[in-house]
Amino acid sequence: MVESSQSIVQDAIDVAIGERGEIGVQVAAYLDSELVIDQWGGLSDETTGQEVDGDTLFPVFSNIKAMTATALHIQAERGLVDYYQPVAKYWPEFGKYGKDKGTVFDALTHRIGVPLMPVGVTPELMCDWDWMVGQIAEMHPLFEPGTRSGYMAYTFGWVVGEIVRRTDPMHRPFGQFIQEEICQPLGITDLWAGIPPEVEPRVAKLTNLPECPSRRSGNTSGLAAVPGLSAGGGDYPGGVWPF
């Protein structure tokens, strides 16, 4: 049964790479704590021809929101965070321009009003935690917190992660909190919020996607939260945030 499943997954990977335009794929699945699927194929770096293998690390995007939310739930379980208290109770600098009304629950449910990335953000600045949270704290909300939704495609991690950091008695960096409170107790060895330098050679290199349909059609409002497209501060393409 396991061998059959491995074969089915490998066939799907081969089709994805050979016919669907994927570059490199890795699939792992566990059943009752046992690794039952461990298949891969393609390239992890088109520029060098390096192939994907069982040790390749892939960048993940919204997957990390689950880990970030789990970190906050740990703090709530310990009595360090109340979901229905304002974010500004734990992060006073956040409570400007009406954001003082936004609760931790609002942040978790994408109703805090700051879905856009800061003006001038770059990949390098995204790695500067203090710069990012400082810029987000200075933002005017796009709507009154708690009154509507605005998907925090990128900002979710810094908003929720800063609540975790502010309520951590040891004031650990968020990536360290993830490692010590989630990954290490569960024996997770290959997940980071910010990689250590020694694993960088294992990371698959991203390839830019083709131009997306919404940009070709001129509807950029749904992309305004993406670095390079964000105008920040409420001045963004498309007028009203479409949620």
Side-chain angles (χ1 to χ4, degrees):
M1 180 64 177
V2 171
E3 290 182 2
S4 174
S5 298
Q6 296 270 22
S7 176
I8 291 171
V9 171
Q10 189 62 58
D11 288 345
I13 290 173
D14 293 341
V15 170
I17 294 170
E19 302 177 18
R20 305 289 174 83
E22 290 289 351
I23 298 166
V25 180
Q26 181 192 72
V27 179
Y30 287 79
L31 178 64
D32 296 329
S33 300
E34 179 185 355
L35 181 63
V36 294
I37 301 292
D38 192 19
Q39 303 294 115
W40 55 80
L43 300 177
S44 64
D45 187 342
E46 287 185 293
T47 64
T48 65
Q50 181 174 327
E51 296 182 347
V52 174
D53 61 29
D55 292 323
T56 301
L57 300 174
F58 283 83
V60 296
F61 288 82
S62 287
N63 309 58
I64 199 65
K65 289 184 174 70
M67 192 68 66
T68 303
T70 298
L72 182 58
H73 295 322
I74 288 172
Q75 296 299 81
E77 186 176 58
R78 292 171 175 170
L80 299 171
V81 172
D82 183 332
Y83 296 119
Y84 298 101
Q85 289 296 316
V87 171
K89 175 180 178 179
Y90 310 107
W91 177 9
E93 297 89 337
F94 184 82
K96 298 178 180 178
Y97 314 120
K99 299 197 303 299
D100 58 302
K101 300 176 182 177
T103 66
V104 174
F105 180 81
D106 292 329
L108 282 169
T109 56
H110 301 265
R111 297 170 64 83
I112 201 72
V114 288
L116 305 189
M117 287 290 274
V119 173
V121 70
T122 64
E124 292 77 16
L125 287 172
M126 288 172 68
C127 295
D128 186 335
W129 186 275
D130 290 338
W131 186 87
M132 283 294 302
V133 298
Q135 292 293 308
I136 291 171
E138 291 294 329
M139 284 182 173
H140 291 257
L142 299 188
F143 48 83
E144 181 180 343
T147 63
R148 56 187 299 193
S149 295
Y151 180 57
M152 297 156 66
Y154 281 65
T155 57
F156 183 93
W158 286 281
V159 173
V160 175
E162 184 65 0
I163 299 169
V164 172
R165 193 184 71 83
R166 295 281 182 131
T167 57
D168 177 18
M170 291 185 279
H171 304 291
R172 288 166 288 183
F174 182 65
Q176 182 180 344
F177 185 98
I178 290 284
Q179 285 298 306
E180 295 179 356
E181 300 292 347
I182 300 176
C183 293
Q184 291 175 12
L186 295 175
I188 299 171
T189 59
D190 286 339
L191 175 66
W192 291 274
I195 61 168
E198 60 269 20
V199 305
E200 187 170 357
R202 296 169 54 197
V203 178
K205 303 301 186 293
L206 293 177
T207 298
N208 287 335
L209 290 171
E211 188 175 26
C212 65
S214 58
R215 190 190 296 192
R216 289 199 300 268
S217 67
N219 176 20
T220 58
S221 56
L223 301 175
V226 178
L229 295 177
S230 172
D235 178 16
Y236 56 97
V240 178
W241 190 258
F243 294 99

